[in-house]
Amino acid sequence: MCGIVGAASHRNIVPVLVQGLQRLEYRGYDSCGVAVHAGGLARTRTTSRVADLITQVRDDHVEGMTGIAHTRWATHGAPAVHNAHPHFSLGPGVAASDAVGVVKQARIGLVHNGIIENHEALRAALERKGYIFASQTDTEVIAHLIDSLYDGDLFDAVKAAVLKLHGAYAIAVISREEPHRVIGARAGSPLILGVGADGTENFLASDAMALAGVTDRIVYLEEGDVVDLQPGKYWIVDRAHKPVGDGQRPVRTVQAHSGAVELGPYRHYMQKEIFEQPRAIGDTLEGIEGIVPELFDGVGQDGKTGASAHRVFKDIDKVLILACGTSYYSGCTAKYWLESIAKIPTQVEIASEYRYRDSVPDPKTLVVTITQSGETADTLAALKHARSLGMEHTLTICNVATSAMVRECKLAYITRAGVEIGVASTKAFTTQLAGLFLLTLALAQAKGRLGADEEANYLKQMRHLPVALQSVLALEPQIIGWSEDFARKENALFLGRGLHYPIALEGALKLKEVTYIHAEAYAAGELKHGPLALVTSEMPVVAVAPNDALLEKLKSNLQEVRARGGVLYVLADRDTLIENSEGLHVIRMPEHYGALSPLLHVVPLQLLAYHTACARGTDVDKPRNLAKSVTVE
């Protein structure tokens, strides 16, 4: 992984390819490259940024009307030019050259997202046929495999090759022998077809954002599809390699605005996205006049209403939440809401763990997936595993209406965070919490556990959230003061209780992701069961301290830290009676927000991570070793 762009046109397509890569930079990457048909196959690759690739392309005079491009996040093989995509196959007995420009002997060029699980066996078989490998990647195996099966028709060769692949892939392939053709295929990794506006070109991409400003007419390829792209036409076969009929893969109009990726007055995308949260929450809740199950009704492939949330909510008596990373912590928060407000037993599972353990299925369970991109490989696989166990009631909280997850789940709530560029998720997290709180209220209502007065009060609080968030963002100068202390540390501890324990976990994750400071989070009551041994004056301790039923317990935990010489940084509500003193730094939240307090308390933790990262000089938007959309296991 991470990003694919391909095109077949009657014009020089290189500017479109590299511009597409620029729009996919937010996913994270450690190398990038482009290959085009230019009388033969020409290739340029780099371990620098896309901006450097653009310079190389210009200096090398790389031009062509058919081409593929890629940003890579290393899985097999270190970040190095010889491991960067596109990969070439020069046929048996010839090693692929790292030289730029036209590689006359190159027969197949390929880019790939995903992981090929049987690459070692395929590699051994291809080496026996005389193929020489120039990289450590699993991707190069696919290029040589297609070359070994090529007999004058690239579409047939790709169809034959994918039958031999085990694992996840989205690929785009070009051939020296067919200068106006790009073949794409996908299984387990996203790939879309972009239909050119004037009928003279067509495109492939891993994300519609890559094609913003080029075309807004998108076809979402389904699992197992293989597509043949030519300048004025395309056709698709399904996983059984049967032709896909008219209307089976509809052309959709998708507005992927390039303006969404402009920084404006902000220093980094992470900062921009933190400050977009009032707008994102407002958009996510826009038009909601009352709590009704129909808010979560699914939409079928034909655009008509799908499954009925009203019927499903009446039928289920448990909730299973599946998610990864930040989305998992939003699910952990929702567990408190679902059990205290809706009175529904709720289990939260890390998606990558759930699918590999024995569990006890219950067909009356609502399986809820949470994902920003809707393409998270582990969460998609966990969903399929749950369905294989007979749990057919599925719902997703997702930020991308056209994603694989939305298509796979019968019910959905689409958050409206907008495009999130920074790898460390911020506005996606808070909009997920908003969607999950709505789900809690809808389930409570369906079960007869939400009175009219309670509903009105909760709706009033939710509508006030954008204003409340603006007040929290005004605390930024105080948080910058904290960040100057944290920038000099290498370890940190985060504490929370109840609803705010998952918020402490999310705060620690943010600090780890963008500052590279080792951070851990604990339920505060666990301090004396081990973590207290870590507390010294060099271990800052962050505590989330709302004025709730657990406040007095939390105050006792804070005293335990102070007694051991620890330095405390406390996010306190106005009336908690926790005062600044030596070794105790307090920032007061503007107001207490009850059950919705997690949405407010997480924002200072996001700002703390951001400003600490700025003080340490790290790459805030593209942290080392991390990718935005994790589309491989």
Side-chain angles (χ1 to χ4, degrees), residues 107-148:
R107 308 199 303 193
I108 298 293
L110 177 140
V111 294
H112 163 231
N113 284 349
I115 291 178
I116 304 304
E117 295 174 357
N118 62 332
H119 71 98
E120 292 176 335
L122 291 172
R123 185 183 184 114
L126 288 162
E127 286 177 333
R128 288 193 293 271
K129 292 182 178 181
Y131 285 91
I132 300 172
F133 285 79
S135 76
Q136 288 80 50
T137 67
D138 54 338
T139 298
E140 192 181 1
V141 167
I142 314 173
H144 290 317
L145 178 62
I146 292 171
D147 182 83
S148 73

Coordinates of all heavy atoms in Angstrom, one line a residue, residues 107-148:
R107 N 8.8 -5.6 -20.1 CA 7.7 -6.1 -20.8 C 6.4 -5.8 -20.0 O 5.3 -5.6 -20.6 CB 7.8 -7.6 -21.0 CG 9.1 -7.9 -21.7 CD 9.1 -9.3 -22.4 NE 8.8 -10.4 -21.5 CZ 9.1 -11.7 -21.9 NH1 9.6 -11.9 -23.1 NH2 8.8 -12.7 -21.1
I108 N 6.5 -5.8 -18.7 CA 5.3 -5.6 -17.8 C 5.7 -4.6 -16.8 O 6.7 -4.6 -16.2 CB 4.9 -6.9 -17.1 CG1 4.4 -8.0 -18.2 CG2 3.7 -6.6 -16.1 CD1 3.2 -7.6 -18.9
G109 N 4.8 -3.6 -16.5 CA 4.9 -2.7 -15.4 C 3.7 -2.8 -14.5 O 2.6 -2.9 -15.0
L110 N 3.9 -2.7 -13.2 CA 2.8 -3.0 -12.2 C 3.0 -2.2 -11.0 O 4.1 -2.0 -10.5 CB 2.8 -4.5 -11.9 CG 1.8 -5.0 -10.9 CD1 1.2 -6.3 -11.4 CD2 2.4 -5.2 -9.6
V111 N 1.8 -1.7 -10.4 CA 1.8 -1.2 -9.0 C 0.8 -2.0 -8.3 O -0.2 -2.5 -8.8 CB 1.4 0.3 -9.0 CG1 2.5 1.1 -9.7 CG2 0.1 0.6 -9.7
H112 N 0.9 -2.0 -6.9 CA 0.1 -2.9 -6.1 C 0.0 -2.4 -4.7 O 0.9 -1.9 -4.1 CB 0.9 -4.3 -6.1 CG 0.5 -5.2 -5.0 ND1 1.4 -5.8 -4.1 CD2 -0.8 -5.7 -4.6 CE1 0.7 -6.6 -3.3 NE2 -0.6 -6.5 -3.6
N113 N -1.3 -2.5 -4.2 CA -1.6 -2.3 -2.8 C -2.0 -3.6 -2.2 O -2.7 -4.4 -2.9 CB -2.7 -1.3 -2.6 CG -2.3 0.1 -2.8 OD1 -1.1 0.4 -2.9 ND2 -3.2 1.0 -2.8
G114 N -1.6 -3.9 -1.0 CA -2.0 -5.2 -0.4 C -0.8 -6.1 0.0 O 0.3 -5.7 -0.1
I115 N -1.1 -7.3 0.3 CA -0.1 -8.3 0.7 C -0.4 -9.6 0.0 O -1.6 -10.1 0.2 CB 0.0 -8.4 2.2 CG1 0.6 -7.2 2.8 CG2 0.9 -9.6 2.6 CD1 0.8 -7.2 4.3
I116 N 0.5 -10.2 -0.7 CA 0.3 -11.5 -1.3 C 0.9 -12.6 -0.4 O 2.1 -12.6 -0.1 CB 1.0 -11.6 -2.7 CG1 0.5 -10.4 -3.6 CG2 0.8 -12.9 -3.3 CD1 -1.0 -10.4 -3.8
E117 N 0.0 -13.3 0.2 CA 0.4 -14.3 1.3 C 1.2 -15.5 0.7 O 2.1 -16.0 1.5 CB -0.8 -14.8 2.0 CG -1.5 -13.6 2.8 CD -2.8 -14.1 3.4 OE1 -3.2 -15.3 3.2 OE2 -3.5 -13.3 4.1
N118 N 1.0 -15.8 -0.5 CA 1.8 -17.0 -1.1 C 2.9 -16.5 -2.0 O 3.3 -17.2 -2.9 CB 0.8 -17.9 -1.8 CG 0.2 -17.2 -3.0 OD1 0.0 -16.0 -3.0 ND2 -0.2 -18.0 -4.0
H119 N 3.5 -15.3 -1.7 CA 4.5 -14.8 -2.6 C 5.8 -15.6 -2.6 O 6.5 -15.7 -3.6 CB 4.8 -13.3 -2.2 CG 5.6 -13.2 -0.9 ND1 6.9 -13.0 -0.9 CD2 5.1 -13.2 0.3 CE1 7.3 -12.9 0.4 NE2 6.2 -13.0 1.1
E120 N 6.1 -16.3 -1.4 CA 7.3 -17.1 -1.4 C 7.2 -18.3 -2.3 O 8.2 -18.6 -3.0 CB 7.6 -17.5 0.0 CG 8.0 -16.3 1.0 CD 8.2 -16.7 2.4 OE1 7.6 -17.8 2.8 OE2 8.9 -16.0 3.1
A121 N 6.1 -19.0 -2.3 CA 5.9 -20.1 -3.2 C 5.9 -19.7 -4.6 O 6.5 -20.4 -5.5 CB 4.6 -20.9 -2.8
L122 N 5.3 -18.6 -4.9 CA 5.2 -18.1 -6.3 C 6.6 -17.6 -6.8 O 7.0 -17.9 -7.9 CB 4.3 -16.9 -6.4 CG 2.8 -17.3 -6.3 CD1 1.9 -16.0 -6.2 CD2 2.3 -18.1 -7.5
R123 N 7.3 -17.0 -5.9 CA 8.7 -16.6 -6.2 C 9.6 -17.7 -6.5 O 10.4 -17.7 -7.5 CB 9.3 -15.8 -5.0 CG 10.6 -15.1 -5.3 CD 11.1 -14.4 -4.0 NE 12.4 -13.8 -4.3 CZ 12.6 -12.4 -4.2 NH1 11.5 -11.7 -3.9 NH2 13.8 -11.9 -4.4
A124 N 9.5 -18.8 -5.7 CA 10.4 -20.0 -6.0 C 10.0 -20.6 -7.3 O 10.9 -21.0 -8.1 CB 10.2 -21.0 -4.9
A125 N 8.7 -20.7 -7.7 CA 8.3 -21.2 -8.9 C 8.8 -20.4 -10.1 O 9.3 -20.9 -11.1 CB 6.8 -21.4 -9.0
L126 N 8.8 -19.1 -10.0 CA 9.2 -18.2 -11.0 C 10.7 -18.2 -11.2 O 11.2 -18.1 -12.3 CB 8.7 -16.7 -10.8 CG 7.2 -16.5 -10.9 CD1 6.7 -15.3 -10.2 CD2 6.8 -16.5 -12.4
E127 N 11.4 -18.3 -10.1 CA 12.9 -18.4 -10.2 C 13.3 -19.7 -10.9 O 14.3 -19.6 -11.7 CB 13.5 -18.4 -8.8 CG 13.5 -17.0 -8.1 CD 14.0 -16.9 -6.7 OE1 13.9 -18.0 -6.0 OE2 14.5 -15.9 -6.3
R128 N 12.5 -20.7 -10.7 CA 12.8 -22.0 -11.5 C 12.6 -21.8 -13.0 O 13.3 -22.5 -13.8 CB 12.0 -23.1 -10.9 CG 12.4 -23.6 -9.6 CD 11.7 -25.0 -9.2 NE 10.3 -24.8 -9.1 CZ 9.7 -24.6 -7.9 NH1 10.4 -24.3 -6.8 NH2 8.4 -24.5 -7.9
K129 N 11.8 -20.8 -13.3 CA 11.5 -20.5 -14.7 C 12.6 -19.5 -15.3 O 12.5 -19.2 -16.5 CB 10.1 -20.0 -14.9 CG 9.0 -21.0 -14.7 CD 7.6 -20.3 -15.0 CE 6.5 -21.3 -14.8 NZ 5.2 -20.7 -15.0
G130 N 13.5 -19.0 -14.4 CA 14.5 -18.1 -14.9 C 14.3 -16.7 -14.6 O 15.1 -15.8 -15.0
Y131 N 13.2 -16.3 -13.8 CA 13.0 -14.9 -13.5 C 14.0 -14.5 -12.4 O 14.2 -15.2 -11.4 CB 11.6 -14.7 -13.1 CG 10.6 -14.7 -14.2 CD1 10.0 -15.9 -14.7 CD2 10.3 -13.5 -15.0 CE1 9.1 -15.9 -15.7 CE2 9.5 -13.6 -16.1 CZ 8.9 -14.7 -16.4 OH 8.0 -14.8 -17.5
I132 N 14.5 -13.3 -12.6 CA 15.5 -12.7 -11.6 C 14.8 -11.6 -10.9 O 14.3 -10.6 -11.5 CB 16.8 -12.2 -12.4 CG1 17.4 -13.4 -13.1 CG2 17.7 -11.6 -11.4 CD1 18.6 -13.0 -14.0
F133 N 14.9 -11.6 -9.6 CA 14.2 -10.6 -8.8 C 15.1 -9.5 -8.3 O 16.3 -9.8 -7.9 CB 13.5 -11.3 -7.5 CG 12.3 -12.1 -7.8 CD1 12.4 -13.4 -8.4 CD2 11.1 -11.5 -7.6 CE1 11.2 -14.1 -8.7 CE2 9.9 -12.3 -7.9 CZ 10.0 -13.5 -8.4
A134 N 14.7 -8.3 -8.5 CA 15.5 -7.1 -8.2 C 15.1 -6.5 -6.8 O 15.7 -5.5 -6.4 CB 15.4 -6.1 -9.3
S135 N 14.0 -7.0 -6.2 CA 13.5 -6.4 -4.9 C 13.2 -7.5 -3.9 O 13.2 -8.7 -4.2 CB 12.3 -5.6 -5.2 OG 11.1 -6.4 -5.4
Q136 N 12.9 -7.0 -2.7 CA 12.4 -8.0 -1.7 C 10.9 -8.0 -1.5 O 10.4 -8.5 -0.6 CB 13.0 -7.6 -0.3 CG 14.5 -7.8 -0.2 CD 15.3 -6.8 -0.8 OE1 15.1 -5.6 -0.6 NE2 16.3 -7.2 -1.7
T137 N 10.2 -7.3 -2.5 CA 8.8 -7.1 -2.3 C 8.0 -8.4 -2.8 O 8.4 -9.1 -3.6 CB 8.3 -5.9 -3.1 OG1 8.4 -6.2 -4.5 CG2 9.1 -4.7 -2.8
D138 N 6.8 -8.5 -2.3 CA 5.8 -9.5 -2.8 C 5.2 -9.0 -4.1 O 4.8 -9.8 -4.9 CB 4.7 -9.7 -1.8 CG 4.0 -8.5 -1.3 OD1 4.6 -7.4 -1.4 OD2 2.9 -8.6 -0.8
T139 N 5.3 -7.7 -4.4 CA 4.7 -7.1 -5.6 C 5.4 -7.6 -6.8 O 4.8 -7.9 -7.9 CB 4.7 -5.6 -5.5 OG1 4.0 -5.1 -4.4 CG2 4.2 -4.9 -6.8
E140 N 6.7 -7.6 -6.8 CA 7.5 -8.0 -8.0 C 7.1 -9.4 -8.5 O 7.1 -9.7 -9.7 CB 9.0 -8.0 -7.7 CG 9.8 -8.1 -9.0 CD 11.3 -8.0 -8.7 OE1 11.7 -7.9 -7.5 OE2 12.1 -8.1 -9.7
V141 N 6.6 -10.3 -7.5 CA 6.1 -11.6 -7.9 C 5.0 -11.5 -8.9 O 4.9 -12.2 -9.9 CB 5.7 -12.4 -6.6 CG1 4.9 -13.6 -7.0 CG2 6.9 -12.7 -5.8
I142 N 4.1 -10.5 -8.7 CA 2.9 -10.4 -9.5 C 3.3 -10.0 -10.9 O 2.8 -10.5 -11.9 CB 1.9 -9.4 -9.0 CG1 1.6 -9.6 -7.5 CG2 0.6 -9.5 -9.7 CD1 0.8 -8.5 -6.8
A143 N 4.3 -9.1 -11.0 CA 4.8 -8.6 -12.3 C 5.3 -9.8 -13.1 O 5.0 -10.0 -14.3 CB 5.8 -7.5 -12.2
H144 N 6.2 -10.5 -12.5 CA 6.8 -11.7 -13.2 C 5.7 -12.8 -13.5 O 5.8 -13.4 -14.6 CB 7.9 -12.3 -12.4 CG 9.1 -11.4 -12.2 ND1 9.7 -10.7 -13.3 CD2 9.9 -11.1 -11.2 CE1 10.7 -10.0 -12.9 NE2 10.9 -10.3 -11.6
L145 N 4.8 -12.9 -12.6 CA 3.7 -13.9 -12.8 C 2.9 -13.6 -14.1 O 2.6 -14.4 -14.9 CB 2.9 -14.1 -11.6 CG 1.7 -15.0 -11.7 CD1 2.1 -16.5 -11.9 CD2 0.8 -14.9 -10.4
I146 N 2.5 -12.3 -14.2 CA 1.8 -11.9 -15.3 C 2.6 -12.0 -16.6 O 2.1 -12.5 -17.6 CB 1.3 -10.4 -15.1 CG1 0.3 -10.3 -14.0 CG2 0.7 -9.8 -16.4 CD1 -0.1 -8.9 -13.6
D147 N 3.9 -11.7 -16.5 CA 4.7 -11.8 -17.7 C 4.8 -13.3 -18.1 O 4.7 -13.6 -19.3 CB 6.1 -11.3 -17.4 CG 7.1 -11.4 -18.6 OD1 7.0 -10.5 -19.4 OD2 7.8 -12.4 -18.7
S148 N 4.9 -14.2 -17.2 CA 5.0 -15.6 -17.5 C 3.7 -16.2 -18.1 O 3.7 -17.2 -18.8 CB 5.3 -16.4 -16.2 OG 4.1 -16.5 -15.4

